[in-house]
Amino acid sequence: MQLAPVFPILYRILQPTFPTCLWSANIQEPIVALTFDDGPHPQYTPQLLSVLDKYEIPASFFWLGVCVERSPEVAKAVYQRGHWVGLHGYNHQMFTSFTSPILKQNLAKTQLAIAQACALDLDYVQTHVRDVRPPNGVFTPQILKSLQSWNYRPVMWSVVPEDWVLPGVAVVVQRVLSQVQNGALIVLHDGFFGGADVAQSTDLIVKKLLQRGFKFVTVEQLWQLSGVV
């Protein structure tokens, strides 16, 4: 059973319940943030970068530490293009399975992997790479409290086409286009699950949204527009 029809309902319920997360931006302008989870991937991410280069638009990537360690050159290529980078945990294990100290170590380990791959000072990464999207979007109020006490910013979503089950490019594109609104935060995947179609899906999504007059921004810019931070 695919869960795609449920995600818009969850969004409408959870967004007002957890207002300190970034779910979207309440704005009138046709602006969206395009985000990608579970990478970097040695094949799918470079294909995706070619699409983003083609349209000259920014995106935001929520990385797994283990994937950064496996493909450091890809991570560096993403960062050097000016795309925004966030954390998705070290190995996609749900945050609810960790004790608070272990979760803190998990995120710090991912920051270290990013610093090493992108040739960045660790202090800089700890200060600037602090957006966190929990794997599978699963969190508790206590996890959010912990993240914020450690100076992380929780980032969620408003459009989730469930591309990781590979329903087909046409289905993914249709789901995004039918749900997108001004200030939307779109989630796609460039990792092992979903990544095989991500370049083609993104190409069509971006083309259609540009035709509708949408502008693409990073998660950092969406934070600023949202007024939450």
Side-chain angles (χ1 to χ4, degrees):
M1 176 182 177
Q2 295 192 5
L3 300 174
V6 178
F7 287 117
I9 300 171
L10 282 176
Y11 161 67
R12 289 193 294 270
I13 294 172
L14 294 174
Q15 183 186 30
T17 306
F18 299 99
T20 57
C21 294
L22 181 65
W23 299 84
S24 63
N26 184 19
I27 54 176
Q28 300 302 314
E29 296 82 8
I31 290 173
V32 296
L34 192 58
T35 71
F36 300 92
D37 288 1
D38 296 357
H41 187 279
Q43 177 182 355
Y44 304 146
T45 304
Q47 292 172 352
L48 173 60
L49 285 178
S50 295
V51 174
L52 299 176
D53 288 348
K54 170 184 171 181
Y55 291 103
E56 298 182 336
I57 61 168
S60 302
F61 291 79
F62 288 86
W63 281 340
L64 298 173
V66 66
C67 291
V68 174
E69 291 175 350
R70 290 171 180 168
S71 301
E73 70 290 342
V74 179
K76 190 172 184 179
V78 171
Y79 181 80
Q80 288 182 333
R81 279 170 167 78
H83 298 297
W84 192 250
V85 174
L87 311 173
H88 200 42
Y90 182 75
N91 57 4
H92 212 273
Q93 188 171 345
M94 288 201 297
F95 289 175
T96 50
S97 68
F98 296 127
T99 63
S100 183
I102 296 300
L103 175 57
K104 189 175 184 179
Q105 292 175 16
N106 178 288
L107 295 171
K109 189 176 180 181
T110 305
Q111 286 179 319
L112 176 60
I114 292 171
Q116 292 175 337
C118 299
L120 297 170
D121 184 81
L122 181 57
D123 289 340
Y124 176 86
V125 172
Q126 291 171 338
T127 302
H128 292 83
V129 182
R130 58 192 188 95
D131 287 323
V132 177
R133 176 176 285 148
N136 302 318
V138 177
F139 63 88
T140 65
Q142 181 56 50
I143 287 174
L144 293 184
K145 183 178 179 181
S146 294
L147 290 175
Q148 290 164 337
S149 71
W150 301 330
N151 199 35
Y152 292 112
R153 303 187 300 188
V155 177
M156 297 303 291
W157 34 255
S158 63
V159 179
V160 188
E162 202 179 13
D163 60 321
W164 61 88
V165 298
L166 293 176
V169 171
V171 172
V172 170
V173 173
Q174 186 275 329
R175 287 174 177 171
V176 171
L177 296 179
S178 66
Q179 296 177 32
V180 73
Q181 296 179 343
N182 295 344
L185 208 168
I186 303 168
V187 179
L188 296 169
H189 294 75
D190 62 326
F192 183 78
F193 294 100
D197 287 346
V198 72
Q200 187 177 357
S201 296
T202 300
D203 196 328
L204 292 172
I205 289 167
V206 171
K207 180 180 179 180
K208 295 291 187 181
L209 291 182
L210 287 173
Q211 290 172 348
R212 293 186 184 182
F214 278 92
K215 177 184 176 182
F216 291 84
V217 299
T218 64
V219 162
E220 172 64 18
Q221 292 168 308
L222 204 65
W223 272 115
Q224 296 170 8
L225 291 167
S226 72
V228 176
V229 175

